[in-house]
């Protein structure tokens, strides 16, 4: 599970919906192929109960939330 910080193999649950991020938010967009207007965003869920995770240097914090809490946080923006 490269780049996930998850110390063991766990099932991943794919999203039922996807979203896109406008290309203008990426610094490297100027070298992308012409006509690249959005970048697809992929998210996955995993049950990490009892699993040790390690965050990379590019992150400063992690939160363990159940689905209801995560949806609430997302709605608050």
């Amino acid at each position: 599970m490269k780049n996930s910080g998850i110390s063991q193999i766990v099932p991943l649950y794919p999203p039922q919906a996807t979203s896109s991020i406008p290309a203008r938010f990426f610094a490297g967009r100027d070298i992308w192929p012409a006509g690249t207007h959005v970048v697809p965003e992929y998210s996955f869920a995993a049950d990490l109960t009892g699993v040790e995770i390690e965050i990379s240097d590019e992150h400063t914090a992690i939160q363990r939330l159940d689905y209801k809490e995560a949806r609430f946080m997302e709605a608050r923006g």
Side-chain angles (χ1 to χ4, degrees), residues 11-72:
L12 292 179
Y13 303 96
Q16 294 184 11
T18 58
S19 63
S20 298
I21 303 169
R24 70 177 181 269
F25 292 113
F26 294 88
R29 69 187 176 276
D30 295 333
I31 62 170
W32 294 352
T36 303
H37 301 290
V38 297
V39 175
E41 179 181 37
Y42 299 98
S43 301
F44 297 87
D47 181 358
L48 299 177
T49 304
V51 175
E52 193 68 34
I53 56 174
E54 184 176 317
I55 60 174
S56 67
D57 293 337
E58 64 189 66
H59 301 288
T60 58
I62 189 165
Q63 290 182 293
R64 289 185 181 252
L65 305 170
D66 65 26
Y67 180 77
K68 189 175 182 179
E69 291 172 314
R71 293 292 294 171
F72 176 74

